[in-house]
Amino acid sequence: MSKTNGAQGVLRTKVIIVGGGPVGLAMSLLLGRFEIDHLLVERAAGTTDHPKARGVDIRTMELFRLWGVERKIAARGLPPGADVFAIVDTIAGAEYGRTVAELNLGQSPSWRCMVAQDAVEEELLTVARSQAHGQLRFGTEFVSFDAGNDGVKARLRDLASGEEEEWSADFLVGADGAGSNVRRQADIEMRGPSTIAVMANEYWSADLSHIPRIDATAAYRIVPKAPDHAIWTVLNTNGRDRWLSAGPVGKESDERPLPRTDAEVVQMARNQTGLPNLDVKVISRSTWRLSRQVANRFSRGRVFVVGDAAHRFPPNGGFGMNSGIQDAHNLAWKLKLVLDGQAGGALLNSYDTERRPVAESNADFSLGNQKRFVQTDIALRSGNRDQIEFWLRDTDNHLHSSGQSLGFSYEEGAVVPDGTVRMPLQSRYYSPSDRPGGRFPHLWMDLARTESTLDWFDRDFVLVYGPRGEDWIGVAREVAARTGVHIGARQLDTQDSRHGISMGQRGATLVRPDGHVAWRSAWVPADPVAALGSALDTILCR
């Protein structure tokens, strides 16, 4: 995993990951699956004990399915159909209305899960620790790095002993959150407003399992009777006894004279639930800034930023953690091929090219949801029933986000365009397509619905060919032998246009390890070996 380099005492690994949150753990898990030696360091003593993000979107749940943690994570979340907001005077009191759960149209083998970040981190940590190629060190601080043409040297400090170590690696990945030290030292700037509002989280425990539909409601918007009191959101973390109250406490800074005392949090929880004698225990609290920022670049040389180190969204819609995990998924296979010498170093430039536009889109979507909350609050204060019902219906656009989760496409980067025109992204509706850049569509491959086409894409490129395209098997073998890059081959025996498959009876698509289509030919070219080989060389910057 690592070794000492002679008298200098420099320790060696392939990749250093800074940050042990969900994104850093996902990166470690992925590098382990690719058998890449790596070191993860995290300043905290362990994973978070605060719910933080609450919700895993459809695409991330697909990845969790592939990594073998989907069921365990889903078991720690709310049941399916709980992606609902209720507008109430108190949780146990009058309900003004509620949104509608998004309909599952069967476009994925998975579905979103309303689950708290602390549960996600614990499950990812278990898998990351079980792998042979990674070393995870909590209570270890990243101090500084020096990057050159041949690699990166990083200085790390054990917080318990104060001892420092120097490590060398081929690459450094900053997954160290919104205040990323890696990003600052790499001189990567954030663009966009750093403070839209200052928010407070109050995390508390109380048994509310007796309240009807409590486990089918992701969040309660509490509308106090006093017009001068802010509307707060109570987030449901497990459907039983753990709750997160979130609300504004300032515009540029915390404008309260003092943070709430435990007694004040207890009283607030009782007011929000409408249960004056509720037994409440305060767990923890935090203050944070509502931001909309995206880095001006996601890499500099051998240094990369992922997750909140690269982008900060309003939490409305739940795309922060999900975008970060998908950042790691995009980067890991590229690091693998470059480290193995099967791709040119320029392949790594496509990480920024592909993921930064997605971050901008998710940032805009999240900010739009935050603005929708403002309009909904105005409607709730108005007392106008029609106005309230309009904004309640519109709030479905906040939670119905299959298109935003599954429909993003890479127009430039490690893809070979086929000349077809990109369809506009609709955040609410997903249109499957095997067009280059997009996620390959999901189809069940057996009557028992246990194997999905998405299960084919994990560590290698896969050539998916049509019902009459068996000749592509030999093409894939010949190109793999020439390039040294493993290419699997899978036959798709249906051409149902409802699933977005357009490659034709004899055509084929080349799908990347991350499940995105890299190249498509709806017919057999005059020289298919040359066509596929040229496409692969282009994708891998060879």
Side-chain angles (χ1 to χ4, degrees), residues 87 96-99 388-396:
I87 312 298
Y96 302 120
R98 63 174 46 218
T99 61
I388 292 170
E389 290 181 355
F390 172 86
W391 284 106
L392 270 176
R393 289 192 300 270
D394 190 72
T395 301
D396 284 340

Side-chain angles (χ1 to χ4, degrees), residues 97-385:
R98 63 174 46 218
T99 61
V100 178
E102 183 173 10
L103 181 64
N104 185 345
L105 299 179
Q107 297 172 317
S108 169
S110 305
W111 194 242
R112 76 166 53 86
C113 179
M114 308 308 295
V115 60
Q117 180 177 325
D118 54 344
V120 173
E121 288 189 15
E122 289 173 9
E123 297 299 336
L124 292 180
L125 176 62
T126 298
V127 178
R129 274 184 169 159
S130 70
Q131 299 182 123
H133 293 271
Q135 182 180 163
L136 282 65
R137 290 174 53 178
F138 288 82
T140 302
E141 180 180 39
F142 165 76
V143 179
S144 62
F145 77 86
D146 181 27
N149 293 331
D150 298 328
V152 180
K153 288 185 178 179
R155 183 156 290 279
L156 311 174
R157 179 185 297 123
D158 185 293
L159 292 178
S161 67
E163 294 182 2
E164 292 193 358
E165 293 177 342
E166 187 172 288
W167 284 73
S168 67
D170 294 278
F171 300 102
L172 175 68
V173 178
D176 49 340
S180 172
N181 195 9
V182 172
R183 184 189 67 234
R184 288 198 299 269
Q185 291 191 33
D187 196 26
I188 295 175
E189 298 180 2
M190 298 295 281
R191 293 179 176 172
S194 62
T195 306
I196 298 171
V198 178
M199 309 290 289
N201 282 358
E202 308 290 355
Y203 186 31
W204 48 276
S205 173
D207 185 5
L208 301 180
S209 59
H210 61 283
I211 296 177
R213 294 198 288 184
I214 195 73
D215 66 344
T217 310
Y220 292 88
R221 295 281 284 162
I222 311 295
V223 185
K225 293 181 173 60
D228 59 332
H229 289 187
I231 296 176
W232 274 51
T233 303
V234 176
L235 303 169
N236 188 348
T237 73
N238 66 2
R240 299 182 304 278
D241 60 0
R242 297 203 171 223
W243 310 92
L244 190 69
S245 295
V249 292
K251 294 183 178 179
E252 296 291 334
S253 61
D254 189 341
E255 297 172 3
R256 299 172 295 180
L258 292 170
R260 286 181 178 83
T261 64
D262 284 1
E264 288 172 331
V265 173
V266 169
Q267 187 57 51
M268 180 188 70
R270 289 171 174 170
N271 292 341
Q272 290 175 345
T273 59
L275 301 171
N277 298 315
L278 184 67
D279 182 15
V280 179
K281 293 181 176 61
V282 179
I283 302 173
S284 62
R285 57 178 58 114
S286 66
T287 304
W288 50 279
R289 295 177 183 274
L290 190 73
S291 307
R292 189 273 184 222
Q293 291 190 305
V294 177
N296 66 339
R297 56 194 301 166
F298 281 14
S299 65
R300 186 179 293 278
R302 292 177 174 270
V303 179
F304 303 86
V305 289
V306 295
D308 284 359
H311 42 70
R312 302 170 63 188
F313 312 150
N316 310 76
F319 275 85
M321 176 177 69
N322 292 286
S323 297
I325 291 172
Q326 292 160 32
D327 290 343
H329 191 230
N330 180 283
L331 179 59
W333 69 271
K334 298 172 182 178
L335 290 172
K336 167 66 174 176
L337 290 173
V338 171
L339 285 167
D340 285 355
Q342 295 181 322
L347 172 64
L348 296 173
N349 297 335
S350 68
Y351 167 63
D352 174 271
T353 303
E354 294 178 352
R355 291 303 300 172
R356 194 148 48 91
V358 175
E360 292 284 1
S361 175
N362 288 341
D364 288 342
F365 177 74
S366 303
L367 184 60
N369 282 336
Q370 190 271 334
K371 292 179 177 179
R372 179 180 289 113
F373 260 25
V374 172
Q375 293 300 320
T376 304
D377 288 354
I378 293 172
L380 293 169
R381 294 294 196 192
S382 73
N384 185 315
R385 191 67 217 176

